[in-house]
Amino acid sequence: MDKIRVLIAKIGLDGHDRGAKVIARFLRDAGFEVIYTGIHRTPQEVARAVIDEDVDVLGISILSGAHNTIVPRVLDYIRQYGGNPQDLVVLVGGTIPAEDIAKLREIGVDEVFIPGTPISEIIRFIKEKVAEKRGKL
C-alpha cells in the first residue's frame, strides 16, 4: 500500500491548534505523510490543498462550534475544484456535540473524533477506511 497522505486543517478564526499539532505528530510517527495547514485557513484554501496535495485523508480540527457551517463548505469547494469528497476519508475532530455527529456523517464525514479518543483508534480507523476507499477506486 502506498503511504497514506493526510491533510490536517484548521479553518476560520479558531486559533487553538495544539490538538491538531499533536494529532499531526502522532500520525507522522505512525508512518503517515502529514501536511498541516496552519491556523486561520478558509474553506477554499483547505479544499484547494486537498486537491493540490492529492491526499487520502482530510482531518478538520474545530473547537469554535462552527463545524455545521464550515465542513459542508469545504466539501462543496472540493467538488467545485474537481474532487470527490467520497474518494477521501473525511474526519472531524474537536468539541463536537453528540447531536451534531449524525448530521456530519450525513453530509459525508466518515468519522468524528472527540477529545479523549485514543490515538490508536484514530490510526486504526484511518488505515481501514483508506484501504476500503482505495479498493473502490
Side-chain angles (χ1 to χ4, degrees):
M1 178 186 286
D2 293 334
K3 200 166 198 173
I4 296 174
R5 294 175 52 89
V6 180
L7 181 83
I8 301 292
K10 289 293 297 183
I11 304 168
L13 299 177
D14 183 356
H16 299 90
D17 68 344
R18 189 167 67 183
K21 288 178 177 175
V22 168
I23 292 295
R25 172 60 63 127
F26 276 118
L27 295 180
R28 263 188 215 120
D29 291 348
F32 299 115
E33 187 174 325
V34 180
I35 302 157
Y36 173 54
T37 64
I39 59 175
H40 303 149
R41 299 297 167 210
T42 66
Q44 296 96 322
E45 289 173 325
V46 170
R48 175 53 58 199
V50 165
I51 301 299
D52 290 347
E53 297 293 341
D54 193 26
V55 296
D56 302 290
V57 180
L58 168 60
I60 300 173
S61 174
I62 296 180
L63 295 177
S64 68
H67 49 276
N68 288 330
T69 301
I70 288 174
V71 174
R73 286 186 183 165
V74 172
L75 299 180
D76 286 343
Y77 281 114
I78 289 171
R79 288 183 198 94
Q80 287 181 30
Y81 297 152
N84 182 355
Q86 293 179 340
D87 294 341
L88 302 168
V89 175
V90 179
L91 308 174
V92 174
T95 308
I96 309 296
E99 62 269 20
D100 291 346
I101 292 174
K103 293 178 197 171
L104 290 169
R105 287 184 177 138
E106 287 174 13
I107 64 164
V109 171
D110 291 292
E111 192 55 89
V112 176
F113 294 108
I114 59 173
T117 303
I119 190 66
S120 59
E121 184 178 328
I122 297 169
I123 291 168
R124 179 199 52 78
F125 183 86
I126 289 172
K127 288 179 178 178
E128 290 177 6
K129 202 66 176 178
V130 167
E132 177 186 317
K133 292 203 176 197
R134 283 181 176 174
K136 291 180 181 176
L137 298 177

